[in-house]
Amino acid sequence: MKDYQEALDRLRSSGLLFACPCSRKELAQGSHQHGCLQGRVSPDAEKVAWRINTRDLPVVSIPDIVQAEPFSINLHDAMPDFVVRKKDGRPSYQPACVVDDVLFGINTIGRGQDLLPSTAAQAVLSRLMGYGDLFERVRFLHHPLLVGADGTKLSKSAGAERVAGFLGGLKLDELIELVDAWL
Ligand SMILES: [Zn+2]
């Protein structure tokens, strides 16, 4: 928690962080209330989330081990004003992930293409938290996702048996063919 707190404090002085007491319902109505974007809410107030203002961030270009062209992510479209500290004071997934990867010396990450916005957010946070360019430290592989016949993602939440049944029914040469098709 001490490492997370120090990283969050560096974000706090980045100029892009704002404190936000808005409820999900308020945000669902389309915009921030309470003047949070104008900095009228203290980050030290009770029950406020800390968010990064994504409005003026440049498009993030994400180099990939197997893709010829980098991915481009507009964070304001993909993850507007993402949370870095939750209302209970704990760090959110994005900064915790960056800090953990630095502390453990992670240099290669493979994840699904559904997590490209997370990679973009972590690239922004890496710079703001003083860890430098994420893509000089870590190389990424973002793989496509397996989809079912109905086009939806195969995932544990969609039914573990469905995934187990799908993979279990594959012969080795079919699996190799599938992986080749990905790459
Ligand atoms: Zn707000």
Side-chain angles (χ1 to χ4, degrees):
M1 286 304 288
K2 185 175 149 285
D3 294 310
Y4 295 144
Q5 198 52 57
E6 283 171 8
L8 286 172
D9 285 343
R10 289 197 291 276
L11 286 180
R12 186 173 167 168
S13 55
S14 72
L16 288 179
L17 186 141
F18 66 98
C20 170
C22 299
S23 64
R24 277 170 206 261
K25 197 175 160 199
E26 285 171 326
L27 291 175
Q29 286 161 359
S31 61
H32 286 280
Q33 318 282 323
H34 315 287
C36 27
L37 271 177
Q38 289 73 39
R40 284 195 212 115
V41 180
S42 167
D44 296 318
E46 295 274 305
K47 293 192 178 155
V48 295
W50 289 7
R51 294 176 177 274
I52 298 297
N53 184 340
T54 49
R55 277 158 199 74
D56 297 325
L57 289 176
V59 168
V60 180
S61 178
I62 301 174
D64 192 277
I65 294 172
V66 297
Q67 302 286 331
E69 297 293 324
F71 293 101
S72 288
I73 298 293
N74 180 328
L75 263 176
H76 195 56
D77 291 339
M79 206 185 277
D81 301 332
F82 62 90
V83 173
V84 292
R85 202 193 75 167
K86 297 184 277 187
K87 285 184 179 175
D88 66 5
R90 290 170 178 271
S92 74
Y93 167 75
Q94 307 298 351
C97 204
V98 176
V99 172
D100 288 354
D101 289 345
V102 168
L103 292 181
F104 288 107
I106 301 298
N107 60 17
T108 309
I109 294 176
R111 53 172 59 146
Q113 288 178 8
D114 54 332
L115 289 179
L116 279 165
S118 285
T119 303
Q122 289 164 24
V124 168
L125 293 180
S126 178
R127 192 167 39 81
L128 295 177
M129 296 190 305
Y131 295 127
D133 184 344
L134 178 66
F135 302 120
E136 280 179 15
R137 193 171 68 247
V138 183
R139 37 184 219 152
F140 283 88
L141 186 157
H142 290 88
H143 60 78
L145 303 176
L146 287 174
V147 293
D150 58 357
T152 59
K153 185 170 85 165
L154 285 180
S155 65
K156 278 187 276 187
S157 57
E161 284 131 48
R162 210 173 139 209
V163 177
F166 184 80
L167 292 178
L170 277 180
K171 298 197 178 68
L172 183 59
D173 54 344
E174 290 171 332
L175 186 59
I176 290 169
E177 207 176 297
L178 191 66
V179 172
D180 272 350
W182 282 349
L183 301 182

